[in-house]
Amino acid sequence: MHSRLQAPEAEEAQMTPEEIFSLVRHDLMLVEQEFDRNASDASELVSEIARYLHEGGGKRVRPALLLLSSRMISGEASPSSIRMAAVMEMLHTATLVHDDIIDDARVRRGRASANAQWGNNKTVLIGDWLYMTAFDMSLRERNFDVLDVLTGMTRLMVEGEIIQLALVGNSHITEAEHLDIVRRKTACMFSACAEIGGIVAAADSEERHALARYGVSVGIAFQLVDDVLDFVSTEAKLGKPVANDLREGKLTLPLIYLMEEGSDQHREHGALARARAEAQRYADAAVESLSIFPPSSYRQALLSVPRFIIEREM
């Protein structure tokens, strides 16, 4: 696979994270308002917990991908793209809530997790509320293509969680099995964000498929970098305990490589470098997926996202 990051036109991909997000900063403010408006319509306790979760921060990478994809196709952010970006942020928040309950996590984004604050019983229902509110918002779009993507994504994500739970403590997980879990649990949401951004902007079939491929590759690169950071970063930087996956009995790509190669320090560095190289390969594939689109500031931003992901805190 040839890296488009090294090609002449890759000079288009030299935007900083600040420049990327500046293109959709106003859109993201509207997304925040849309999220808060829907949370405010619920009961007091639901609103309180939903706001706590939403105010916990996060990079808003997923809604930004949807908005950038939509703007790359149509040149503007429509009310539908704002609503669907809020939907994706709501669904992402719901998955984090349920993940924290399953993992008995006490910290999320540098603060006490919702389950640590309110207990599992209330928090699992908040996750359900977020899911159903997101789908209620989506139904109002009256767009079957959007619903097809969302239902397919949700099914894959739940299956990925079940597959991962079945493999906890298994020291013989293969690279292919791990990547399958990554595609389901993480990459399919990135793919849905990019594709739905195209759908609401009236993208054609080729453009939709290209955006979906881009999102999958970005999502896998994102998770593989996360796997590496779980080894080399600090809790202050990650906003969650480091080596968390190892403590939970979940094998990630560096661990899989390490078990293949042995456990001395030299091999440990080799395993981390190999995992980084695999993340880079998917980042390059993401860039390649955008080759069908004409140059624009939004394409430039999307081309820059894989590099931003690869370089974060490394």
Side-chain angles (χ1 to χ4, degrees):
M1 181 180 294
H2 298 291
S3 170
R4 293 187 63 84
L5 291 176
Q6 303 303 319
E9 61 266 39
E11 291 182 8
E12 195 181 1
Q14 303 305 307
M15 293 179 75
T16 66
E18 292 74 21
E19 290 169 334
I20 294 168
F21 282 97
S22 71
L23 292 173
V24 290
R25 184 169 289 121
H26 178 69
D27 300 343
L28 287 170
M29 288 174 57
L30 297 176
V31 170
E32 302 289 309
Q33 292 170 15
E34 185 72 18
F35 190 112
D36 290 342
R37 183 162 49 251
N38 281 275
S40 298
D41 288 341
S43 68
E44 186 176 342
L45 181 61
V46 170
S47 296
E48 179 187 1
I49 302 176
R51 284 202 186 93
Y52 178 84
L53 290 163
H54 193 51
E55 290 165 1
K59 298 180 180 68
R60 307 293 193 249
V61 171
R62 292 159 188 82
L65 280 182
L66 190 151
L67 294 163
L68 288 167
S69 298
S70 189
R71 281 183 170 274
M72 183 175 67
I73 299 296
S74 68
E76 61 182 7
S78 65
S80 287
S81 67
I82 298 297
R83 282 192 295 271
M84 291 313 302
V87 163
M88 299 312 294
E89 185 63 16
M90 202 166 274
L91 289 172
H92 176 53
T93 304
T95 64
L96 297 182
V97 168
H98 286 161
D99 282 353
D100 284 349
I101 293 168
I102 291 167
D103 298 337
D104 194 28
R106 315 308 290 171
V107 177
R108 167 66 66 179
R109 293 169 175 166
R111 309 188 307 168
S113 62
N115 47 298
Q117 287 277 88
W118 285 278
N120 287 349
N121 291 347
K122 291 185 180 75
T123 310
V124 73
L125 293 173
I126 293 297
D128 294 343
W129 180 87
L130 287 166
Y131 268 116
M132 296 316 300
T133 301
F135 272 93
D136 181 56
M137 292 166 65
S138 304
L139 279 168
R140 293 178 216 162
E141 294 299 310
R142 299 294 187 260
N143 188 318
F144 282 113
D145 288 341
V146 166
L147 291 173
D148 281 346
V149 172
L150 282 182
T151 53
M153 176 203 80
T154 305
R155 187 188 70 250
L156 285 172
M157 291 178 74
V158 173
E159 289 172 356
E161 188 65 56
I162 292 168
I163 292 167
Q164 185 175 61
L165 285 172
L167 293 172
V168 166
N170 185 337
S171 61
H172 302 290
I173 297 172
T174 66
E175 179 178 356
E177 286 173 324
H178 177 64
L179 288 174
D180 179 55
I181 291 170
V182 169
R183 283 189 182 90
R184 292 170 184 271
K185 280 197 64 181
T186 302
C188 70
M189 180 171 279
F190 280 82
S191 179
C193 286
E195 185 175 4
I196 288 172
I199 291 170
V200 297
D204 63 30
S205 178
E206 182 186 16
E207 291 169 333
R208 278 183 55 181
H209 289 142
L211 287 168
R213 288 195 306 273
Y214 167 83
V216 165
S217 297
V218 165
I220 294 174
F222 183 92
Q223 185 58 53
L224 296 187
V225 169
D226 223 42
D227 288 355
V228 173
L229 291 178
D230 197 52
F231 275 80
V232 302
S233 193
T234 64
E235 183 168 340
K237 287 181 179 178
L238 283 184
K240 60 182 179 180
V242 293
N244 213 40
D245 293 316
L246 181 59
R247 280 192 292 273
E248 292 167 5
K250 299 173 183 175
L251 287 194
T252 56
L253 201 57
L255 278 169
I256 291 167
Y257 289 157
L258 196 58
M259 294 187 73
E260 286 178 4
E261 299 169 4
S263 59
D264 64 50
Q265 189 175 22
H266 173 73
R267 290 193 180 107
E268 181 179 331
H269 288 305
L272 291 171
R274 190 176 162 194
R276 284 190 181 106
E278 188 69 2
Q280 182 68 62
R281 189 172 74 84
Y282 282 101
D284 291 345
V287 169
E288 183 66 36
S289 299
L290 298 182
S291 61
I292 70 166
F293 298 102
S296 70
S297 58
Y298 305 114
R299 179 178 182 266
Q300 181 183 359
L302 289 169
L303 286 170
S304 303
V305 167
R307 192 190 63 169
F308 156 50
I309 285 170
I310 290 294
E311 292 178 355
R312 66 191 177 108
E313 299 296 335
M314 279 194 180

